[in-house]
Amino acid sequence: MSQPASIFDRVRGKRTAGIEILLIKLRSYLAQAQVDEVYQAYKFGAQAHEGQRRVSGEPYISHPVAVAAILADLHMDHHTIEAALLHDVIEDTPTLKEELITRFGQEVAQLVDGVSKLTQIKFQNREQAQAENFRKMVLAMVDDIRVILVKLADRLHNMRTLGAMPPPKRRRIASETLEIYAPIAHRLGMNAMRLELEDLGFEALHPLRYKVLIKHLKRSRGHQKEMVKKINESLSGALQREQVDGSVAGREKHLYSIYRKMRSKSLSLNEVLDVYGFRIIVDKTDACYRVLGIVHNLYKPVPGKFKDYIAIPKTNGYQSLHTVLIGPQGVPLEVQIRTADMDKVAGSGIAAHWLYKSGDEGSTPTLRAREWLKDMVEMQQSAGSSQEFLDNVRVDLFPDEVYVFTPQGDIHRLPRGATTVDFAYAVHTDVGNACVAAKVNRRLVPLRTLLENGQTVEIITAPNGRPNPAWLNFVVTAKARANVRHFLKNLRREDAVELGRRMLEGALTSLSVKLSRIPEAQLQAILREFKMQVPDDLFESIGLGQHLAPLVARRLLPSHAAESQPVKPGAPLAIRGTEGLVVSFARCCHPIPGDGIVGVLTSGKGIVIHRDDCGNLNEYRNQPDKWIEVQWEKRINRDFPVEIRADVANQRGVLATVAAAIAETGSNIEHVNQQERDELTSVITFVFGVKDRQHLARILRRLRSLPQVMRIQRIRA
């Protein structure tokens, strides 16, 4: 085995201070043979990048060395360090992946390939390129999660040296860092890296705001020095009196988190800076709870501001106790209490329990990361494009969380604002797809109900249950959104095919012909003419209004037969209310069973059902080919929205009285709006569900019996 000095002899005198520092770091935790392998990778990379320089003028090899040094600080394994030194050779030099396999092995070559950018592929725009690069990165992470660690270190060094870039490029890279890379670092629990990425991104994107905040922060630290010292001594003294071995330190405020808190909570700078932060580190978990009692006895806790992330860790594996106290002179104190191991995880996340180093695949951050990547792969498979995938991931990159339970006591972590449908998809995709109702704490609630910490949620499914397009208006998790969209894409085709077949059969019946009697050769000729592959493509286009059924029917007949064939009045198309996305009901007039109705064929949307007295039908009077004769199916078992307007006495409680009367008739209110007309009267507009005109008539009779109701009518366009 070679001696360390021999390595330094080979590199000394060649402006290689960076590699010397890297090798010193590596010697602290790697075997010498592994350090030598890293040095061979450095020599290969330096030769490959010979003559290349960064925008700043430095030799290009300085960048891979700096990236490797960042990873060495995290004590990453030697293969990851080698990949960091080589991460740009495939992209920026003639080096091929096969050469890396031969020189450094399959593992290192795969890591380098996973990090490489897709410069060979031409995209329509920068957003598409960013989305496709991110998709590839996620897929590479699934094979080896070290890919993202190299990518994050690469981005961190680029951000540290961003000043050499022209302003437009600085802003673009900074924006991408704040939107994608910093949240990923947070999602993997790598808090120290996340905070530096955020502050660097904030400085590049908003330089003036950054300067103002840093100036005020420095001034604030000067003013707070005595108070921080006093509180520190008070907390340390309390620990000593109770014979608890622990350290107390003030927490540094980070500029971007200050800026974000000011914007999200509409706080002034002084309101944010007047909060004092402290962290208490102890040796054991049970000591954390002892310290919590000590600080609550020392200073009064603020009700509702205690969070136990030890019993229920965050999604990225973060563990700590958080509490807010009222300190001396009424100043608010934010105190975090954790063990030294928890503190290490809070800073380095997945790298703190690196499985390739310790074999600890059961560590919390590693398990959390693999669960997240599994969800990412499922979203990627469901997404229609790389851009849609990236949009979904943006939604899911570590928002604030709520913790809810299954009836069996299992914990699910969801973003704040999540609904029962988000919970259903978190349990399993099949549960989400079949969800029809939900219970929260044993009470039935609407599916759009927002979940809160500590609730028990039960999902009710049905064999014929399926996602509703309206869910996209309120689900917040990327998994739920991606799965609903994926299901609806397939569902829309199925519905359109079935509807188009029915419409074509009706059109052919009016010509005294059955679809089953159409010669195969004639059908294939039409498909070739329309550039379609199978009959279902033709049915779908008819169902979506892209081709008119009567015209297609005549084209399917031989020319002489079509000209001589008398047209008989066909049976109206029966509307069941279950046709899915290709039959919709006009919101201008809200048709319900019992109303006279007309169908209007709209290209790309299918059939829109209007009441036959709807004023909006006038715009179609000169387009008779778009009118479809329709009628209600005899037995329909579903609710349809209807809109009514009530003129009521302007008195306290009138809205509740009218709403209660509607609920008594078995109807669910979907929307309500109240406006004061004058001192004596108000106008209330309701949208609620009814079975048919008879059901509506019962509701109107009940409302007219109320003394507060002066006039009531159904609204139509």
Side-chain angles (χ1 to χ4, degrees):
M1 181 181 296
S2 61
Q3 297 301 314
S6 64
I7 295 177
F8 296 133
D9 288 342
R10 283 176 279 171
V11 299
R12 190 167 284 128
K14 300 180 181 179
R15 296 184 64 194
T16 52
I19 187 62
E20 289 190 25
I21 294 171
L22 173 63
L23 295 173
I24 290 170
K25 289 181 178 182
L26 296 178
R27 283 185 59 223
S28 67
Y29 71 94
L30 290 180
Q32 187 58 49
Q34 294 174 332
V35 176
D36 284 348
E37 285 184 37
V38 170
Y39 179 67
Q40 294 304 317
Y42 162 74
K43 286 204 305 182
F44 184 91
Q47 185 176 358
H49 290 294
E50 184 69 36
Q52 295 180 353
R53 292 192 174 272
R54 305 193 78 208
V55 176
S56 61
E58 295 175 293
Y60 192 86
I61 190 61
S62 65
H63 168 63
V65 171
V67 172
I70 292 170
L71 294 169
D73 288 335
L74 297 173
H75 284 201
M76 296 302 300
D77 63 293
H78 69 290
H79 286 144
T80 306
I81 305 298
E82 291 170 39
L85 289 167
L86 301 168
H87 77 269
D88 279 334
V89 296
I90 292 180
E91 177 192 351
D92 294 338
T93 77
T95 306
L96 299 177
K97 180 181 176 181
E98 289 70 23
E99 186 175 357
L100 293 184
I101 294 174
T102 302
R103 297 286 294 270
F104 302 102
Q106 183 74 31
E107 191 172 344
V108 172
Q110 284 294 106
L111 283 170
V112 173
D113 186 55
V115 179
S116 296
K117 301 186 183 87
L118 298 177
T119 52
Q120 294 80 12
I121 298 180
K122 302 299 180 184
F123 296 100
Q124 294 177 357
N125 52 54
R126 190 176 299 280
E127 290 73 23
Q128 188 181 0
Q130 181 196 60
E132 180 60 22
N133 282 335
F134 183 76
R135 185 193 67 82
K136 184 192 177 190
M137 186 170 63
V138 168
L139 294 179
M141 285 162 58
V142 174
D143 293 331
D144 194 329
I145 203 168
R146 290 174 293 181
V147 167
I148 190 57
L149 301 185
V150 178
K151 191 72 177 178
L152 287 172
D154 174 46
R155 177 52 60 110
L156 179 56
H157 184 251
N158 283 333
M159 291 300 296
R160 287 174 177 174
T161 57
L162 199 59
M165 294 289 182
K169 192 167 185 179
R170 278 205 305 268
R171 289 191 293 270
R172 178 182 63 78
I173 294 174
S175 178
E176 186 180 72
T177 298
L178 292 174
E179 288 181 13
I180 300 296
Y181 290 97
I184 288 177
H186 197 175
R187 193 62 178 71
L188 297 177
M190 304 178 73
N191 198 47
M193 184 176 286
R194 186 264 299 185
L195 292 173
E196 186 175 357
L197 286 170
E198 285 183 343
D199 281 356
L200 290 169
F202 177 42
E203 181 181 12
L205 198 60
H206 303 294
L208 294 179
R209 299 177 198 181
Y210 179 89
K211 288 177 182 177
V212 170
L213 284 184
I214 200 166
K215 178 182 177 181
H216 282 79
L217 186 59
K218 287 179 180 178
R219 185 187 305 161
S220 171
R221 285 172 181 162
H223 296 330
Q224 294 179 348
K225 184 175 288 186
E226 284 302 316
M227 179 64 76
V228 170
K229 181 181 178 182
K230 180 180 178 180
I231 296 171
N232 196 316
E233 291 174 350
S234 179
L235 291 171
S236 299
L239 296 183
Q240 290 175 4
R241 287 192 298 273
E242 297 296 330
Q243 298 181 341
V244 174
D245 187 17
S247 62
V248 181
R251 286 191 294 113
E252 288 288 319
K253 291 183 173 69
H254 292 271
L255 291 174
Y256 188 65
S257 62
I258 291 172
Y259 173 69
R260 195 165 49 192
K261 186 176 289 188
M262 288 173 61
R263 292 197 62 182
S264 63
K265 298 186 178 181
S266 300
L267 299 175
S268 69
L269 181 57
N270 288 334
E271 286 176 306
V272 177
L273 295 181
D274 283 346
V275 178
Y276 294 74
F278 290 87
R279 183 171 296 137
I280 302 176
I281 308 297
V282 294
D283 56 349
K284 295 180 180 178
T285 301
D286 58 354
C288 294
Y289 294 95
R290 282 194 63 198
V291 171
L292 179 69
I294 292 169
V295 299
H296 279 189
N297 282 328
L298 183 64
Y299 297 119
K300 185 177 180 180
V302 177
K305 293 293 186 178
F306 167 65
K307 294 179 181 177
D308 187 346
Y309 293 122
I310 293 179
I312 306 176
K314 285 190 175 185
T315 310
N316 59 4
Y318 173 90
Q319 290 183 289
S320 186
L321 299 179
H322 289 193
T323 187
V324 178
L325 312 168
I326 302 299
Q329 301 174 21
V331 299
L333 308 180
E334 294 178 348
V335 180
Q336 299 174 351
I337 307 167
R338 62 179 74 144
T339 66
D341 285 344
M342 293 174 191
D343 194 50
K344 189 189 301 179
V345 170
S348 303
I350 189 171
H353 290 254
W354 188 241
L355 63 91
Y356 294 95
K357 170 185 162 186
S358 65
D360 184 11
E361 294 201 27
S363 71
T364 300
T366 301
L367 288 176
R368 301 279 187 238
R370 297 208 177 282
E371 288 174 7
W372 178 58
L373 288 175
K374 181 181 176 183
D375 287 344
M376 292 297 101
V377 172
E378 185 174 333
M379 274 192 281
Q380 193 275 145
Q381 292 170 343
S382 300
S385 65
S386 295
Q387 186 64 51
E388 182 181 331
F389 172 54
L390 180 57
D391 290 342
N392 287 338
V393 174
R394 277 198 181 106
V395 172
D396 216 35
L397 278 177
F398 207 79
D400 291 335
E401 296 169 323
V402 293
Y403 299 86
V404 292
F405 298 86
T406 67
Q408 293 75 34
D410 297 330
I411 298 173
H412 282 272
R413 300 160 184 82
L414 294 167
R416 192 163 298 281
T419 64
T420 59
V421 174
D422 294 296
F423 175 85
Y425 278 103
V427 173
H428 197 279
T429 300
D430 292 343
V431 174
N433 286 340
C435 170
V436 294
K439 291 182 179 179
V440 172
N441 295 338
R442 299 184 180 179
R443 295 182 61 184
L444 276 172
V445 298
L447 290 177
R448 63 170 59 241
T449 299
L450 302 184
L451 300 178
E452 299 177 2
N453 274 317
Q455 291 178 327
T456 298
V457 185
E458 179 183 356
I459 299 299
I460 301 169
T461 61
N464 60 346
R466 61 185 187 180
N468 188 316
W471 291 358
L472 291 174
N473 295 327
F474 58 78
V475 294
V476 299
T477 59
K479 184 176 182 180
R481 187 172 295 278
N483 278 290
V484 172
R485 281 177 173 166
H486 179 65
F487 188 92
L488 293 178
K489 284 176 186 174
N490 295 333
L491 182 64
R492 179 180 175 180
R493 175 174 169 83
E494 293 173 10
D495 290 338
V497 167
E498 197 272 341
L499 177 65
R501 183 192 296 273
R502 288 169 58 199
M503 293 171 67
L504 183 57
E505 285 176 340
L508 287 169
T509 298
S510 67
L511 297 172
S512 302
V513 179
K514 291 186 176 181
L515 180 60
S516 58
R517 296 294 181 91
I518 297 295
E520 180 66 22
Q522 191 70 16
L523 182 58
Q524 290 299 322
I526 291 292
L527 294 178
R528 285 194 300 272
E529 181 182 341
F530 291 162
K531 297 181 180 179
M532 297 176 178
Q533 301 296 320
V534 293
D536 278 0
D537 295 339
L538 177 62
F539 301 147
E540 181 185 14
S541 72
I542 295 172
L544 293 175
Q546 293 162 350
H547 290 90
L548 300 177
L551 298 182
V552 173
R554 285 190 168 275
R555 297 286 292 278
L556 284 172
L557 298 178
S559 57
H560 64 279
E563 292 171 2
S564 60
Q565 195 75 33
V567 178
K568 301 176 182 178
L573 184 68
I575 299 299
R576 307 164 183 167
T578 58
E579 287 84 0
L581 300 178
V582 292
V583 172
S584 57
F585 299 91
R587 294 184 178 182
C588 52
C589 56
H590 290 295
I592 61 176
D595 288 337
I597 53 175
V598 172
V600 177
L601 202 58
T602 307
S603 181
K605 294 182 180 179
I607 300 175
V608 180
I609 305 299
H610 290 260
R611 284 164 58 184
D612 58 12
D613 59 354
C614 178
N616 286 338
L617 287 175
N618 290 328
E619 61 182 281
Y620 300 104
R621 295 294 178 190
N622 297 324
Q623 303 176 61
D625 56 334
K626 290 192 173 184
W627 291 60
I628 303 292
E629 192 175 356
V630 293
Q631 65 182 20
W632 294 106
E633 189 77 69
K634 290 184 178 179
R635 292 181 180 84
I636 299 177
N637 185 25
R638 59 156 283 188
D639 286 347
F640 294 81
V642 66
E643 187 173 15
I644 68 164
R645 187 179 74 179
D647 296 347
V648 299
N650 192 2
Q651 57 185 246
R652 181 176 296 180
V654 65
L655 176 60
T657 301
V658 176
I662 294 173
E664 289 172 6
T665 63
S667 176
N668 288 321
I669 298 173
E670 297 180 8
H671 177 75
V672 62
N673 181 50
Q674 182 176 9
Q675 290 184 325
E676 186 176 297
R677 174 182 289 171
D678 52 46
E679 292 183 1
L680 298 177
T681 60
S682 292
V683 177
I684 305 178
T685 304
F686 287 97
V687 176
F688 51 79
V690 297
K691 300 293 183 186
D692 49 32
R693 284 175 66 95
Q694 292 180 341
H695 187 191
L696 175 60
R698 289 198 304 273
I699 296 174
L700 296 181
R701 282 197 300 272
R702 176 70 182 92
L703 294 181
R704 290 189 179 108
S705 70
L706 297 175
Q708 299 93 331
V709 176
M710 296 178 285
R711 183 169 177 265
I712 192 165
Q713 63 181 5
R714 182 180 177 188
I715 296 176
R716 67 176 184 180

